[in-house]
Amino acid sequence: ESNGRGVPVLHPCVNRSGDTCRTEGTALRLGLEWVRGFTEAARRRLRVSRERRPFSGLEDFLCRVPTQRPEAEALILGGAFDFTGRTRPELLCLLGAAYPVFRERARGAHIDDLFIGDAPAQAPWAVPSLPEFAEAERAWREWHALGVCVGRHPVSFFRETGAFPGNTLTAQAAEQAKGPVRVAGIVAARRTTPTRNGQPMQFITLEDETGLVECVLFPDTHARHRGVVRELGPYVAEGRLDGQYGATTLTVDRIRRVQRPGMRS
């Protein structure tokens, strides 16, 4: 899939990804370090096991690589098992049933037993056929798992369904705007810091399908909206753009989270 910025981006894969991003032909394959919560220790165990033979599927992976369940779930939602041909809901269903069985097998195995002549592990039960997530749901879950978008950006789905007010600008359009503006995006970064007199203020980076908007909530605004920005969002922020030191910042007057039925955060 393409990220819309000219370079095809491929999902992480337990059989093909390194820790960091690497090129595959003209595409960029995301590294396993992009999978949220997938620890360096787990990645090391994966590399050692994979040197012997590739993973045949989720069951084989769970049997050979001791992994916490949230790590395995993030790998599934990030696309690391798409090569199996199973849908992500099917893989999540399989994880729920197989995890206790194969985790205990992995815990009890000696490290050499994980490789020597073993046939790939398979679940002894049938996995029900489940449809793939709707495109918006899939993108949203990928964002949670990876922190980046491989295909369409989740904000684009909100925008096309009319979840944002009609005059909400994209990040790209906001760069050219003057006066009060309204922008929407998902939280890419946030930081709270005290002013000189000890009052807290907050810096937030909102990301949409076109770019980034740097936002600042000064103490009065931060006090009014304390606790609002806790999740990824998306959020709609209103305020005025100010250009200083070569950077454009949105001084926020109001910010609120946007909800849309059918997309979960």
Side-chain angles (χ1 to χ4, degrees), residues 38-116:
F38 194 46
T39 64
E40 195 281 329
R43 298 197 304 269
R44 183 172 61 251
R45 292 193 293 267
L46 180 152
R47 291 194 303 271
V48 171
S49 182
R50 192 173 64 184
E51 285 177 1
R52 180 67 179 183
R53 58 177 168 84
F55 301 104
S56 63
L58 177 61
E59 310 97 298
D60 196 36
F61 174 85
L62 293 175
C63 185
R64 294 163 55 192
V65 182
T67 309
Q68 297 298 315
R69 182 165 176 169
E71 293 178 303
E73 184 171 316
L75 285 166
I76 290 170
L77 295 176
F81 290 99
D82 286 356
F83 70 92
T84 64
R86 286 173 166 155
T87 67
R88 295 181 191 180
E90 288 172 355
L91 289 164
L92 290 174
C93 179
L94 176 59
L95 176 65
Y99 181 76
V101 176
F102 289 110
R103 187 187 188 197
E104 288 307 310
R105 188 181 298 182
R107 279 178 168 176
H110 186 273
I111 187 66
D112 291 335
D113 296 334
L114 299 180
F115 313 122
I116 300 176

Side-chain angles (χ1 to χ4, degrees), residues 2-9 143 148-149 153 207-212:
S2 172
N3 65 354
R5 299 170 189 170
V7 178
V9 178
W143 177 274
V148 296
C149 297
H153 198 288
E207 177 181 330
D208 70 4
E209 67 274 39
T210 68
L212 303 172

